[in-house]
Amino acid sequence: MGGLANGVLGLWLAAAGSPVVDATEVVEDLVVDMRYATPDNFLKQKVYPDGARCLLLPQTAERLKKAADTLRAQGYRLKVYDCYRPIAVQWQMWKIMPKPGYVANPKKGGNHNRGAAVDLTLVTADGAEVEMPTPFDSFERAAHHGYQGGTKASREHREILRAAMEGAGFKRNAMEWWHYDLPGATKLPVLDVPFSAK
């Protein structure tokens, strides 16, 4: 794993005038749980460096703030699992699951690679987890937005998140309750920016 991490880190080049912002500087009460900086993800390995931040395009971060403001009034906060994703990590994911719809083909790049997608969930005002239909990164039917099984509470929480995110101008991913995109994101460039603060 050390070789992979070092190889991936070598591809994260510093660039002056970064096109992305740290989402925690826009959404001050954002909870950050970058799952790919831990082994707690579908890859079962750490592929982000320690100190990985939730980086987003400014317009993505501003929409996230709008959603967070809406949810705060309802007693919730947002917790992010993934934001900007380096293209080298996209290749690693594609090797494990080359399944469009779940993992973007790295030849084209996905919206995470553009800073234009965010994976997230709800937590209470004090940061406690709320029930959702599935865990993050679940590739089962229960993760789909149209799924009507599971508990009433899990479906209600999914809908509260969806309403806030779509109300802020995001587009949902039909197969992943946690994934939201900036409209028109596929027309934006794939980025290569540093993860960690200097």
Side-chain angles (χ1 to χ4, degrees):
M1 179 55 214
L4 169 64
N6 291 336
V8 170
L9 278 169
L11 295 174
W12 293 330
L13 306 175
S18 174
V20 294
V21 296
D22 186 331
T24 62
E25 296 176 4
V26 180
V27 184
E28 293 183 1
D29 62 350
L30 188 67
V31 179
V32 179
D33 179 13
M34 298 291 278
R35 288 295 179 87
Y36 298 113
T38 76
D40 185 16
N41 58 67
F42 82 98
L43 300 171
K44 305 301 183 190
Q45 55 186 303
K46 174 182 172 180
V47 291
Y48 287 0
D50 291 336
R53 299 171 292 159
C54 175
L55 301 176
L56 296 169
L57 293 174
Q59 59 267 44
T60 312
E62 284 302 323
R63 290 181 192 222
L64 193 66
K65 181 182 186 305
K66 185 177 178 181
D69 290 346
T70 297
L71 290 164
R72 195 176 301 112
Q74 301 174 49
Y76 296 104
R77 294 163 65 191
L78 288 171
K79 177 162 92 169
V80 291
Y81 294 128
D82 197 23
C83 303
Y84 161 72
R85 180 187 304 154
I87 197 68
V89 175
Q90 197 68 37
W91 278 107
Q92 189 66 20
M93 291 180 172
W94 185 253
K95 287 178 184 177
I96 294 171
M97 182 172 282
K99 190 172 182 181
Y102 287 108
V103 177
N105 187 329
K107 290 182 179 179
K108 296 180 179 178
N111 292 340
H112 280 292
N113 309 129
R114 296 173 166 89
V118 60
D119 293 341
L120 75 178
T121 190
L122 295 176
V123 293
T124 63
D126 60 2
E129 300 279 345
V130 303
E131 185 181 7
M132 286 298 199
T134 69
F136 169 63
D137 261 0
S138 170
F139 299 109
E140 55 188 293
R141 183 173 176 76
H144 295 192
H145 270 281
Y147 180 68
Q148 293 303 309
T151 67
K152 181 180 178 183
S154 71
R155 295 192 303 273
E156 287 177 347
H157 292 144
R158 180 189 66 198
E159 289 306 300
I160 290 168
L161 177 62
R162 181 197 59 74
M165 293 296 284
E166 291 185 342
F170 283 99
K171 292 178 62 178
R172 69 179 182 262
N173 179 313
M175 295 189 292
E176 299 175 345
W177 61 260
W178 57 84
H179 180 109
Y180 288 86
D181 295 298
L182 190 69
T186 55
K187 298 177 183 177
L188 299 171
V190 170
L191 304 175
D192 186 15
V193 296
F195 246 146
S196 302
K198 292 179 180 179

